[in-house]
Amino acid sequence: MEKGVPTILYAPHCNWWDGIVMYNITHRIFHKEIRLMIEELNRFPLLRRGGGYSVNKKSPQSAMKALQYSVDVVGDLKNILCIFPQGIIRPPHYRPFEFQTGLAYIAQNAVKRYGKVNLVPVAVDYCFFRDNRPEVVVNFGQKLSLTDSKIDRKALTHILERNMTETCDEQFHEIAAGKVEDYKILFKQHLKWYRRIEQRLKRIDIPPVADV
């Protein structure tokens, strides 16, 4: 992360757990506080303590206030703003990516106010690797350092869509090819009792039995 420069992480949105994943990314990797727009936050008020703030997309006035507040949030460098720019939950591996223009609006106005902002695409996938629970696989794409606030908003949105597509496609091909050995383990649950027994049994050196 570039010191002194505001950073925005943006990712696809396929299920409820995405927010929890982004929370762990900001806390465990970047050691920052997450800020995240959440629709219908009144249903989950506890999420305010986790960095969530409300957005009502049905009200243009309310939505604009949330976007303007996001620009304020970006400038506080103890935070990282996380955005799901599709604006709706889509199935995993959904293509093509179609972003709403809110992310581009925030980025443009952040550049106007702070001079520069970094936008980093984040690919998140939930995979089963020989276990009864999925593992969460996260890839960071190439950051876009934005310094020109006059860039066309639709053009910027398409650039961000393309960057997200490249990041997610690369991750998909790595997983499909079984190339997961280079991933760093950020958090791992304790093995269940039957997995511990299984590992112990594998370590027992049993001599071969001679044919009679």
Side-chain angles (χ1 to χ4, degrees):
M1 181 177 293
E2 191 174 357
K3 191 173 182 180
V5 178
T7 299
I8 300 174
L9 303 181
Y10 63 101
H13 196 11
C14 69
N15 65 65
W16 188 87
W17 292 101
D18 294 330
I20 306 299
V21 171
M22 299 304 285
Y23 176 90
N24 278 277
I25 288 173
T26 54
H27 278 251
R28 294 174 181 268
I29 297 178
F30 299 109
H31 307 292
K32 303 274 188 178
E33 296 297 324
I34 186 174
R35 301 312 309 271
L36 182 68
M37 277 194 287
I38 301 176
E39 199 168 6
E40 298 181 338
L41 186 60
N42 58 310
R43 292 176 56 196
F44 310 101
L46 186 63
L47 295 181
R48 292 185 187 275
R49 296 187 179 183
Y53 59 97
S54 181
V55 56
N56 181 4
K57 296 177 183 177
K58 296 178 181 178
S59 167
Q61 202 171 23
S62 174
M64 181 55 68
K65 284 184 179 179
L67 291 175
Q68 292 170 344
Y69 178 70
S70 298
V71 178
D72 296 336
V73 164
V74 169
D76 188 344
L77 296 180
K78 74 174 183 291
N79 298 323
I80 290 184
L81 178 64
C82 297
I83 297 285
F84 301 122
Q86 290 166 294
I88 187 172
I89 291 181
R90 294 288 193 184
H93 311 138
Y94 182 90
R95 297 292 188 278
F97 286 114
E98 296 175 342
F99 290 176
Q100 298 182 1
T101 57
L103 174 57
Y105 173 90
I106 296 169
Q108 282 182 315
N109 284 274
V111 171
K112 287 179 183 178
R113 191 178 301 183
Y114 311 115
K116 183 178 181 180
V117 64
N118 289 330
L119 298 113
V120 181
V122 182
V124 180
D125 206 348
Y126 303 83
C127 308
F128 286 88
F129 295 122
R130 299 180 64 188
D131 207 338
N132 63 328
R133 291 186 179 182
E135 296 185 34
V136 183
V137 183
V138 176
N139 287 55
F140 296 98
Q142 188 68 34
K143 74 177 179 183
L144 171 65
S145 295
L146 188 65
T147 56
D148 181 11
S149 63
K150 296 180 180 178
I151 185 173
D152 180 75
R153 193 172 298 167
K154 287 186 177 180
L156 176 57
T157 298
H158 290 320
I159 291 172
L160 297 172
E161 289 171 341
R162 185 168 62 249
N163 290 352
M164 186 82 266
T165 301
E166 291 174 356
T167 303
C168 290
D169 285 352
E170 182 180 354
Q171 181 192 64
F172 177 82
H173 291 308
E174 286 181 351
I175 294 173
K179 296 179 180 179
V180 295
E181 62 276 358
D182 291 334
Y183 283 90
K184 295 180 180 179
I185 297 176
L186 180 64
F187 174 74
K188 190 173 184 178
Q189 289 185 324
H190 295 296
L191 288 176
K192 295 183 175 61
W193 64 269
Y194 55 86
R195 289 297 185 192
R196 293 198 299 269
I197 293 175
E198 180 183 47
Q199 288 197 351
R200 289 177 183 175
L201 289 174
K202 287 179 179 179
R203 290 196 295 266
I204 298 175
D205 186 17
I206 300 177
V209 178
D211 292 332
V212 178

